[in-house]
Amino acid sequence: MRVLLIGANGYLGRYVADRLLADPAVQLTVLGRGDDADVRFDLASGSPGALTRFLDAVHPGVVVNCSGATRGGARELTRHNTVAVATVCEALRRSGCGARLVHLGCASEYGPSQPGSSTAEDAVPRPGGPYGVSKLAATELVLGSGLDAVVLRVFSPVGPGTPAGSPLGRLAEAMRRAMQSGDGELKLGGLGVQRDFVDVRDVARAVHAASLSAAQGVVNIGTGRAVRLREAASVLARVAGFGGALHELDSPPARLIIPGPSPEHGVAPPTYPYPDGCGTWQQADVRTARDRLGWRPRIGLEESLADIWMEAACRI
């Protein structure tokens, strides 16, 4: 099976590439903006016609799209998350390769949900910010393209490679600083937020399974269990060997507050909004992934957090 992977240098894409390369039946070609891509192509500015010519030359059986942006203004997010996907869909429609498309969406497309509920694929999306809007628009393009396509809506990915600017990445960095400076306590705020954390390696397994399946439409990829950030912080402290106290500050539940380096001149520590626009609660209904992909998560949150801590602890 010849697979064209787009976005192999991203957080999810790196593990998808590793998973596909481990399958001896897969011939992998990487398309991207970086020098290490097999073919250099910028989806946000390249034409569908140019991509079509490449597809006809390579003739992949599956195209996996892991590309996109998580940060930036509405214009940048639209360019990288929506326009880029429009280019992929149009190129596949024009091409004679007949490739199947596996597109990575995200849970931000759903927006906030009722505490205690599990969000199924038929839920009406109500994204809470420009990122979710740009990703939802991409999903609608894929679903309306007429292609043989599946969208994996990934909930909150964690594990090795978690960006230092993400909520769990910032937690690990704050804990590293506290241990390095000998602080006996760590003050955190906004830990009431609950998310469905799924390991990035399990996400890669889901992409592999989707590539081989006939599933179409939207499929949630999560664990089916929401975890409070407070609980994740406690697990992280245990795996890190942090013997100090965790003190939770009074703060709005949908904001994560982590003190930065010692403030100077009385400047308050920075406040970061939880980045996905999903409010205080999100939990996936994962029955479709089980039934249509034969997929279940295998890696527990403690292992994911231990890998996040290992990287944070090695940071100078």
Side-chain angles (χ1 to χ4, degrees), residues 241-302:
F242 178 66
L246 295 176
H247 294 297
E248 187 168 0
L249 304 172
D250 292 331
S251 61
R255 300 179 74 85
L256 177 65
I257 302 176
I258 298 176
S262 300
E264 297 178 358
H265 311 299
V267 178
T271 301
Y272 303 93
Y274 202 90
D276 59 8
C278 295
T280 61
W281 172 275
Q282 247 197 356
Q283 178 175 283
D285 182 327
V286 294
R287 288 175 294 179
T288 301
R290 179 196 63 201
D291 296 342
R292 298 174 64 189
L293 302 182
W295 175 90
R296 287 180 174 83
R298 294 177 181 172
I299 300 175
L301 182 58
E302 183 165 342

Side-chain angles (χ1 to χ4, degrees), residues 4-11 14 29-47 51 54 65-71 75-81 84 87-88:
L4 175 65
L5 174 60
I6 306 171
N9 285 331
Y11 172 40
R14 291 195 298 271
T29 302
V30 172
L31 181 146
R33 290 178 291 171
D35 292 336
D36 53 348
D38 296 317
V39 176
R40 294 190 64 179
F41 189 87
D42 187 348
L43 286 177
S45 59
S47 71
L51 183 56
F54 174 72
N65 181 33
C66 298
S67 68
T70 58
R71 297 177 180 273
R75 178 176 295 181
E76 184 178 6
L77 291 170
T78 300
R79 187 162 64 93
H80 289 288
N81 294 338
T87 298
V88 172

Side-chain angles (χ1 to χ4, degrees), residues 88-90 92-93 99 101 142-149 216:
V88 172
C89 290
E90 180 59 24
L92 281 169
R93 277 197 299 263
L101 175 60
V142 172
L143 298 180
S145 66
L147 299 169
D148 174 13
Q216 295 187 335

Side-chain angles (χ1 to χ4, degrees), residues 140-301:
E140 294 298 334
L141 286 169
V142 172
L143 298 180
S145 66
L147 299 169
D148 174 13
V150 62
V151 177
L152 303 184
R153 270 194 183 139
V154 179
F155 276 62
S156 298
V158 295
T162 293
S166 70
L168 288 178
R170 286 199 296 268
L171 277 172
E173 178 60 18
M175 199 165 291
R176 183 192 69 81
R177 288 198 307 263
M179 294 175 70
Q180 192 174 50
S181 61
D183 291 342
E185 63 178 15
L186 186 58
K187 296 180 180 180
L188 306 168
L191 299 183
V193 173
Q194 296 180 73
R195 290 292 181 269
D196 189 332
F197 296 109
V198 57
D199 193 274
V200 65
R201 292 158 292 193
D202 280 332
V203 174
R205 287 180 43 247
V207 172
H208 188 205
S211 300
L212 300 173
S213 79
Q216 295 187 335
V218 175
V219 179
N220 288 341
I221 302 299
T223 65
R225 174 176 176 258
V227 175
R228 201 178 300 271
L229 269 177
R230 184 183 306 118
E231 179 183 338
S234 297
V235 173
L236 186 62
R238 184 172 71 250
V239 299
F242 178 66
L246 295 176
H247 294 297
E248 187 168 0
L249 304 172
D250 292 331
S251 61
R255 300 179 74 85
L256 177 65
I257 302 176
I258 298 176
S262 300
E264 297 178 358
H265 311 299
V267 178
T271 301
Y272 303 93
Y274 202 90
D276 59 8
C278 295
T280 61
W281 172 275
Q282 247 197 356
Q283 178 175 283
D285 182 327
V286 294
R287 288 175 294 179
T288 301
R290 179 196 63 201
D291 296 342
R292 298 174 64 189
L293 302 182
W295 175 90
R296 287 180 174 83
R298 294 177 181 172
I299 300 175
L301 182 58

